[in-house]
Amino acid sequence: MSSCLCRYTKRMVQRVCVIGGGSSGMTAIKSCLEEGLEPTCFESSEDIGGLWRFKENPESDRASIYQSVIINTSKEMMCFSDFPIPGHFPNYMHNSLIMEYFRMYAEHFKLIKHIRFQTKVLQVKPRPDFTHSGQWDVEIETRKGEKERQVFDAVMICIGHHCHPNLPLNDFPGIDTFKGQYFHSRDYKTADEWRGKKVVVIGIGNSGGDIAVELSRVCKQVFLSTRRGAWILNRVGTQGLPNDMNYNRRLLQIMFSMLPHSLVCRLGENQINQRFNHNIYSLKPKHRLRSQHPTVNDELPNRILSGTVMVKPNIKRLQGSSVVFDDGTVEDNIDLVVFATGYNFSFPFMPSQVLPVSRNKANLYKYVFPPGIERPTLAVIGLVQPLGAIMPISEIQTRWATRVFKGLTKLPTMEGMLKDIKRKEDVMSSRYVASQRHTIQVDYIQYMDEVANHIGVRPNILWLLLRDPALGFRVLLGPCTPYQYRLRGPGKWAGARQAILTQWDRMAQPLQTRPLDNPEPRQSSLLLALTVGAGALALGYYWAIHHHPSVLDALDPTTLLDKIKHHLAVWW
Ligand code: NAP
């Protein structure tokens, strides 16, 4: 073993293969360059952007979006950590603007020259001497259709998890008799050709919600079928601020982690029901708020209230052009059924024993490193579904992976990794409803901090509060923007402090489009966080005392003290 290690340390990782030129692939190239590695990115299409580049005609095995998609994470929360999105860009960006941002990023960090476009990766295999070298044989097909083999010291897989549509036709008896058209949401592009038609949309994830709303503006009627309902969140939060900037805050998350799960859910559900009552709108699920990946849709209640979208239960069967629902109701003359039923992921170019995937579950340490291989020279990037933005997560994963490749950061033992994987699986299955869409869920701040700990870039809050209180308070109480992970350690960015101090200015800038005589003073983020935090605690306490005294058992002072100690230890 020691002789292997010896040889391994002598053979420095240099050449890194990056598979995919979407947002994860681009930030992977950048992290390689930052660490002095030589990245070569293989991108099967002719351009960067991956999922976010709209194309009229979807290509097989590639993600594809509809023309109107607007992202549901706000610009300050979703940007790469050392490259803020320009102040004048809107807070929630249309896909064309996201592409513009990616192009700026690629140009600024000179990433394009490292990408080989129209080059498909056919196969990635550990080399025969992998135990010693950690190297990979990569077979590619060039744009001319020629096959090539190259040897790489490490591989980063950046293909996303929306490539293969999940089309569960077997769950829908009679679909073969259906006289109308049906397709997966991946093949939906615009509402134009469905004017005046009757449509059923299956699934109430973000695709189903968006597509139902858009179709309802032109269709005769849209039915939105859901087998378990959903809690609907919105982009526009309190005071019109982006909701993710309100909620993804450290202090708030710490408080939530100290309160019982049911109490946190109850508080959130009450708040959501203030906007529209999910019971009255036939949307209320049996599960709790935090047990499902959130559907974010500001317009859905308006469309339901106007009757253009009608919420329906699951489909029992289809017959000719009729659709029979589980409650026995029948809708006739249906022209289209859209299966907004999510995606499956796989790694078709990898041997299945290296990266096994079963029912959307991959065995990866922190969703990045396969624990079973002898050399840590393979990383999967962006294979998470966060409650928050994914781009900063992909970025921090690539910062971690490149340092692991170089041997600057060590992974735990295989036993330690397997234990962590198992623990995460258990936590996920106890919190989320069983569904193949809930296999890679992560909470944004918690996950970012976990990875940041490995690299040594997690912000040290107590130190910040002492040395630079203006910054420290913003980091603790304000939105957990990605710049927080560039304040110290490897990859430290001199602009991070200023970016944090000015994050609310960039948020407000695109809204200041008409001069006002007496502009409303904005509530400071600090005050808002304190108010929200204290309010949440007080409400929780009030509710617990009056409605469910047994909950107070969970507020056992010893447990609370343990949690406080844990957080304090982590802050240091
Ligand atoms: P998804 O989140 O996986 O949702 C799939 C939906 O289909 C769920 O409601 C699921 O119900 C339902 N479903 C699956 N199989 C079914 C079956 N056999 N019978 C009945 N219902 C079934 O997929 P998605 O909405 O396409 O979203 C994919 C990802 O893209 C998510 O991360 C989402 O946030 C993201 N996205 C973002 C935006 C945006 O930023 N604007 C827009 C679209 C999508 P169960 O819950 O019961 O399994």
Side-chain angles (χ1 to χ4, degrees):
M1 182 69 184
S2 59
S3 73
C4 297
L5 269 176
C6 209
R7 263 190 263 178
Y8 179 60
T9 39
K10 267 187 213 155
R11 116 135 265 111
M12 296 274 286
V13 167
Q14 202 54 43
R15 296 195 68 217
V16 180
C17 166
V18 175
I19 306 175
S23 58
S24 298
M26 284 191 300
T27 194
I29 301 171
K30 185 198 171 244
S31 293
C32 286
L33 297 173
E34 232 167 48
E35 287 293 344
L37 301 171
E38 287 168 29
T40 304
C41 173
F42 299 114
E43 163 57 44
S44 62
S45 77
E46 70 287 359
D47 201 354
I48 58 166
L51 168 89
W52 289 102
R53 187 162 46 88
F54 172 72
K55 286 194 89 174
E56 203 72 54
N57 300 307
E59 297 155 51
S60 64
D61 296 335
R62 286 189 63 85
S64 183
I65 50 172
Y66 32 97
Q67 198 167 29
S68 61
V69 173
I70 289 178
I71 197 162
N72 57 27
T73 46
S74 71
K75 66 173 180 177
E76 286 302 308
M77 304 300 285
M78 62 158 271
C79 61
F80 295 117
S81 58
D82 55 357
F83 198 70
I85 293 172
H88 66 280
F89 276 34
N91 284 280
Y92 291 107
M93 298 190 290
H94 182 256
N95 56 79
S96 54
L97 280 176
I98 296 176
M99 279 304 296
E100 214 175 305
Y101 171 64
F102 287 165
R103 290 194 198 290
M104 291 160 67
Y105 183 74
E107 196 182 314
H108 184 82
F109 294 108
K110 303 187 173 38
L111 307 178
I112 299 291
K113 63 181 176 201
H114 302 280
I115 307 179
R116 280 183 66 177
F117 290 105
Q118 292 175 300
T119 306
K120 190 172 177 185
V121 172
L122 300 176
Q123 207 177 36
V124 178
K125 275 194 318 197
R127 282 179 68 78
D129 65 348
F130 182 80
T131 318
H132 302 301
S133 70
Q135 288 184 317
W136 300 86
D137 273 326
V138 177
E139 187 186 14
I140 52 171
E141 188 175 64
T142 67
R143 68 183 76 187
K144 291 184 187 147
E146 288 157 1
K147 292 189 179 159
E148 252 179 49
R149 268 177 200 281
Q150 296 200 16
V151 176
F152 285 93
D153 300 316
V155 174
M156 283 202 256
I157 300 175
C158 306
I159 59 170
H161 49 94
H162 298 117
C163 294
H164 312 295
N166 171 40
L167 196 59
L169 296 184
N170 289 340
D171 293 351
F172 295 87
I175 187 76
D176 48 324
T177 70
F178 183 57
K179 291 212 173 84
Q181 225 179 308
Y182 68 84
F183 50 69
H184 188 267
S185 57
R186 176 180 176 274
D187 296 306
Y188 171 84
K189 295 298 140 197
T190 66
D192 300 343
E193 60 180 300
W194 304 104
R195 187 169 295 277
K197 306 286 188 199
K198 284 174 87 176
V199 178
V200 175
V201 177
I202 304 172
I204 196 168
N206 285 301
S207 300
D210 277 0
I211 292 171
V213 163
E214 178 163 279
L215 282 168
S216 72
R217 295 205 189 89
V218 301
C219 285
K220 188 170 175 190
Q221 183 65 55
V222 173
F223 302 97
L224 177 56
S225 162
T226 164
R227 59 183 173 184
R228 66 173 109 241
W231 296 102
I232 309 296
L233 307 187
N234 42 323
R235 289 179 173 86
V236 184
T238 320
Q239 292 201 343
L241 303 180
N243 226 356
D244 53 355
M245 289 183 85
N246 278 342
Y247 286 100
N248 267 329
R249 297 174 179 228
R250 288 180 183 279
L251 186 66
L252 217 53
Q253 296 303 324
I254 291 169
M255 288 192 301
F256 285 163
S257 74
M258 288 172 156
L259 295 172
H261 177 254
S262 64
L263 177 56
V264 177
C265 289
R266 174 63 68 98
L267 290 169
E269 289 158 13
N270 284 349
Q271 199 189 346
I272 288 173
N273 275 331
Q274 291 290 318
R275 182 163 164 257
F276 72 98
N277 186 320
H278 282 50
N279 236 336
I280 298 177
Y281 279 59
S282 295
L283 280 170
K284 185 167 184 255
K286 285 202 185 86
H287 58 260
R288 309 305 306 267
L289 172 64
R290 281 158 58 92
S291 301
Q292 185 184 42
H293 184 66
T295 298
V296 182
N297 201 307
D298 294 53
E299 291 174 78
L300 186 59
N302 297 343
R303 308 312 299 174
I304 298 174
L305 201 57
S306 67
T308 49
V309 171
M310 203 179 280
V311 178
K312 287 290 201 177
N314 204 19
I315 292 178
K316 194 170 188 180
R317 63 175 186 279
L318 297 98
Q319 219 163 23
S321 55
S322 301
V323 174
V324 183
F325 294 93
D326 271 355
D327 60 354
T329 53
V330 181
E331 298 298 342
D332 296 318
N333 303 319
I334 299 296
D335 300 288
L336 169 68
V337 175
V338 181
F339 284 83
T341 42
Y343 294 85
N344 298 313
F345 62 80
S346 66
F347 309 104
F349 45 80
M350 290 298 303
S352 57
Q353 68 276 18
V354 176
L355 266 186
V357 179
S358 155
R359 296 177 61 80
N360 274 0
K361 278 191 188 164
N363 206 35
L364 295 169
Y365 177 59
K366 306 232 184 270
Y367 309 100
V368 176
F369 291 103
I373 60 174
E374 297 94 333
R375 297 291 179 206
T377 55
L378 175 66
V380 181
I381 305 300
L383 191 68
V384 288
Q385 188 157 258
L387 304 190
I390 192 160
M391 283 83 169
I393 289 190
S394 291
E395 183 194 35
I396 208 162
Q397 288 176 333
T398 64
R399 291 170 70 191
W400 181 31
T402 47
R403 293 184 67 77
V404 170
F405 294 162
K406 286 180 72 177
L408 298 173
T409 302
K410 297 272 176 267
L411 293 180
T413 60
M414 171 136 124
E415 200 188 14
M417 290 197 266
L418 290 174
K419 223 165 133 184
D420 188 75
I421 293 171
K422 173 83 175 64
R423 194 179 53 81
K424 282 199 157 33
E425 259 179 37
D426 291 347
V427 169
M428 207 167 343
S429 61
S430 69
R431 169 166 157 190
Y432 286 95
V433 290
S435 167
Q436 67 165 38
R437 66 195 287 237
H438 294 145
T439 54
I440 47 174
Q441 294 297 118
V442 298
D443 287 321
Y444 179 80
I445 299 180
Q446 190 188 329
Y447 182 79
M448 288 289 284
D449 279 356
E450 273 179 43
V451 177
N453 270 339
H454 280 273
I455 322 174
V457 298
R458 180 182 170 141
N460 184 332
I461 301 198
L462 285 185
W463 185 85
L464 278 179
L465 285 171
L466 293 173
R467 282 283 304 264
D468 189 348
L471 180 64
F473 277 113
R474 280 174 175 84
V475 170
L476 177 62
L477 304 175
C480 182
T481 44
Y483 325 118
Q484 293 195 4
Y485 300 93
R486 290 277 180 186
L487 288 169
R488 70 183 189 118
K492 179 178 166 175
W493 173 47
R497 179 180 190 275
Q498 187 58 15
I500 293 170
L501 297 184
T502 52
Q503 57 203 10
W504 285 107
D505 300 335
R506 279 187 303 282
M507 179 261 135
Q509 192 180 332
L511 301 173
Q512 288 158 357
T513 48
R514 184 178 147 256
L516 300 181
D517 290 341
N518 296 307
E520 175 96 352
R522 211 179 54 238
Q523 192 180 8
S524 83
S525 66
L526 189 145
L527 195 61
L528 186 72
L530 278 177
T531 315
V532 174
L537 267 185
L539 264 174
Y541 190 66
Y542 174 85
W543 176 82
I545 288 176
H546 290 273
H547 298 280
H548 211 325
S550 64
V551 157
L552 291 176
D553 296 345
L555 294 176
D556 166 6
T558 355
T559 323
L560 264 183
L561 204 64
D562 281 348
K563 288 184 178 178
I564 291 168
K565 273 198 226 145
H566 165 78
H567 285 299
L568 281 177
V570 163
W571 287 3
W572 279 115

